[in-house]
Amino acid sequence: MSLVTDALPGALSTLAATGVITLATAACTRLRARRASAATTAATEAQRQLRRYTLLRTTGPDGTPVYYASTRPPGTVVTHPVDGHPQPFELTDIPLGDGTYAAEPL
């Protein structure tokens, strides 16, 4: 037989092995990127800071504003008792003059 037909099975198997190795490497790289992204997201969640919110339209027994501390992100709805009844408030990222953030009643 000719030299080309004798070498063809070896060349094809080498090409197939190279393709399998390339695909496996790409899959591993993609999995590592996803894990790194998940770790970054978890680190961001862990870095959330404690914010102090002023519950708008509420006052304590002594007439001072009621404050609420939370690490939850803006847009979260929390429930706080007002006059013995649960009242929902939405946490915002609007800073107030006293250094706290606004929590609007719903």
Side-chain angles (χ1 to χ4, degrees):
M1 290 211 183
S2 80
L3 183 63
V4 174
T5 56
D6 289 341
L8 190 58
L12 289 176
S13 63
T14 302
L15 185 60
T18 303
V20 168
I21 291 171
T22 301
L23 289 175
T25 303
C28 287
T29 302
R30 188 169 181 167
L31 285 174
R32 283 187 193 138
R34 282 187 180 179
R35 286 182 185 162
S37 175
T40 302
T41 302
T44 302
E45 292 293 325
Q47 290 177 351
R48 286 195 291 189
Q49 294 181 356
L50 181 68
R51 284 187 174 184
R52 191 169 174 210
Y53 293 91
T54 299
L55 302 179
L56 300 179
R57 296 190 217 145
T58 60
T59 57
D62 56 355
T64 60
V66 177
Y67 299 105
Y68 183 84
S70 177
T71 59
R72 295 179 183 164
T76 302
V77 176
V78 296
T79 304
H80 188 76
V82 176
D83 296 329
H85 302 289
Q87 174 73 34
F89 289 88
E90 181 179 3
L91 305 180
T92 68
D93 57 354
I94 301 169
L96 300 176
D98 61 355
T100 63
Y101 292 89
E104 297 178 349
L106 297 176

